[in-house]
């Protein structure tokens, strides 16, 4: 068996008065390590809800990144325990440049990782993995899609969805974190409006016309369930292009054995995703 070793080189260069960190290595390995090492879902509260000042700073960072103002983004990131890396992925030929917003080693703010692709092939596509620990493997799957289709941005949460013992005020209940139905946890990013995923979505949605967002989730497949449940976050059919149906048809072409249930076609019996706060935002 051949073992591949990726060596990461970190270099600090001065850009004006700002020290910008440049990294070369495997971005896939970095994301996988981030997911592996994030806090678990035992209600130990490493996840702390951002203050209004912190969440506004996060929004300013995302805006700066989209505008190419990377030094300004890095300056603001330092105020909330984060850093912006200029990351060259050397596992592709030619190498590809990304900007990675992640917490510093000493930071206790487990708010997730945001990655920006300045040379996106699909400049309206934002891939989000809000449940990287549970739903299993969706963090790695989301990043795989982001990298291989050339999407403009990727977000992965910073903790297990059950890490917080505090509850969201948003509607809906779940038994994911307990033996019975309860409100969603504050660490469950698709069910809160005061988290970094919601703020990131808000900024991209206001900046990019006709933004498309994909969130991979998982579910326990019971007898009679389809392989894939697909939702636009609403029971209503789109008034223009239905990208979800295009995606379904393309997946069916790739693997004709797959079975589907599409929410807005009335085919699904569960997991409608209509309580997803990012979906509610985008659907107005």
């Amino acid at each position: 068996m051949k073992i591949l070793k990726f060596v990461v080189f970190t270099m600090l260069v001065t850009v004006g008065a700002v020290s910008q960190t440049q990294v070369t290595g495997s971005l896939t390995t970095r994301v996988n390590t981030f997911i592996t090492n994030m806090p678990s879902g035992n209600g130990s509260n490493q996840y702390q809800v951002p203050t209004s000042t912190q969440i506004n700073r996060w929004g300013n960072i995302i805006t700066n990144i989209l505008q190419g103002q990377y030094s300004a983004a890095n300056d603001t990131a330092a105020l909330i325990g984060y850093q912006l890396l200029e990351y060259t992925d050397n596992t592709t030929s030619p190498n590809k440049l990304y900007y990675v917003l992640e917490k510093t080693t000493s930071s206790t703010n487990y708010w997730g990782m945001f990655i920006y692709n300045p040379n996106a092939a699909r400049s309206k596509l934002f891939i989000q993995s809000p449940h990287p620990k549970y739903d299993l493997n969706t963090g790695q799957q989301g990043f795989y899609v982001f990298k291989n289709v050339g999407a403009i941005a990727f977000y992965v949460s910073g903790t297990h969805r059950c890490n917080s013992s505090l509850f969201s005020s948003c509607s809906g209940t779940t038994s994911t974190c307990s033996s019975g139905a309860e409100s969603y946890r504050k660490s469950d990013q698709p069910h809160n409006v005061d988290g970094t995923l919601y703020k990131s979505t808000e900024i991209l949605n206001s900046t990019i016309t006709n933004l498309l967002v994909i969130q991979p989730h998982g579910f326990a497949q019971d007898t009679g369930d389809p392989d894939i449940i697909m939702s636009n976050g609403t029971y209503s059919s789109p008034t223009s292009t239905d990208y979800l149906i295009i995606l379904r048809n393309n997946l069916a072409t790739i693997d004709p054995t797959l079975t589907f249930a599409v929410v807005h076609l009335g085919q699904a019996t569960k997991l409608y995703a209509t309580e997803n706060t990012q979906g509610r935002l985008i659907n107005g």
Side-chain angles (χ1 to χ4, degrees):
M1 179 176 67
K2 184 177 181 180
I3 298 178
L4 301 179
K5 295 183 179 179
F6 297 102
V7 180
V8 177
F9 301 92
T10 301
M11 176 172 61
L12 292 177
V13 297
T14 300
V15 181
V18 179
S19 292
Q20 184 76 34
T21 303
Q22 296 180 335
V23 179
T24 299
S26 167
L27 188 54
T28 299
T29 299
R30 195 175 193 93
V31 172
N32 288 345
T33 300
F34 174 80
I35 293 171
T36 299
N37 293 336
M38 71 175 53
S40 63
N42 56 6
S44 53
N45 291 306
Q46 283 95 341
Y47 179 84
Q48 296 292 308
V49 180
T51 65
S52 58
T53 297
Q54 290 168 331
I55 202 67
N56 287 335
R57 283 174 173 166
W58 182 280
N60 291 337
I61 294 166
I62 302 301
T63 297
N64 287 152
I65 291 172
L66 295 177
Q67 294 174 345
Q69 298 176 3
Y70 305 120
S71 294
N74 191 45
D75 284 347
T76 306
L79 299 176
I80 60 171
Y82 272 69
Q83 61 185 350
L84 185 67
L85 305 179
E86 184 178 291
Y87 201 104
T88 300
D89 190 328
N90 63 0
T91 64
T92 60
S93 183
N95 296 172
K96 293 199 67 174
L97 178 66
Y98 299 90
Y99 288 90
V100 180
L101 178 63
E102 64 176 25
K103 66 184 287 298
T104 59
T105 303
S106 60
S107 175
T108 57
N109 294 331
Y110 293 91
W111 296 329
M113 174 187 281
F114 177 88
I115 303 177
Y116 174 66
N117 179 359
N119 301 299
R122 291 175 169 82
S123 59
K124 297 181 182 294
L125 184 60
F126 184 11
I127 307 297
Q128 305 175 347
S129 293
H131 297 150
K133 285 286 193 182
Y134 190 77
D135 311 315
L136 185 65
N137 293 328
T138 54
Q140 290 89 345
Q141 291 163 353
F143 177 75
Y144 181 89
V145 173
F146 161 76
K147 182 178 178 181
N148 284 279
V149 305
I152 193 168
F154 172 71
Y155 173 95
V156 58
S157 298
T159 67
H160 191 292
R161 64 198 293 187
C162 302
N163 182 264
S164 176
S165 60
L166 301 177
F167 295 101
S168 171
S169 61
C170 293
S171 62
T173 59
T174 179
S175 58
T176 298
C177 304
S178 66
S179 58
E182 64 177 15
S183 297
Y184 293 99
R185 303 293 180 97
K186 295 300 294 185
S187 48
D188 197 341
Q189 295 290 320
H191 299 286
N192 289 276
V193 296
D194 51 6
T196 50
L197 175 55
Y198 188 88
K199 177 56 72 172
S200 299
T201 307
E202 187 178 57
I203 298 299
L204 267 75
N205 191 50
S206 64
T207 304
I208 300 173
T209 303
N210 298 322
L211 178 72
L212 297 173
V213 172
I214 294 177
Q215 282 186 8
H217 294 268
F219 69 98
Q221 190 178 30
D222 297 325
T223 302
D225 282 345
D227 296 311
I228 303 174
I229 299 172
M230 308 184 77
S231 174
N232 280 323
T234 174
Y235 299 115
S236 302
S237 296
T239 56
S240 56
T241 305
D242 193 338
Y243 292 101
L244 196 68
I245 296 302
I246 295 173
L247 177 58
R248 179 202 64 183
N249 294 343
N250 286 338
L251 289 171
T253 299
I254 294 169
D255 186 352
T257 68
L258 292 174
T259 56
F260 302 86
V262 179
V263 169
H264 69 268
L265 298 184
Q267 299 169 342
T269 59
K270 61 182 181 181
L271 302 176
Y272 303 113
T274 55
E275 293 164 351
N276 182 299
T277 51
Q278 290 82 52
R280 288 184 171 190
L281 171 67
I282 292 171
N283 285 308

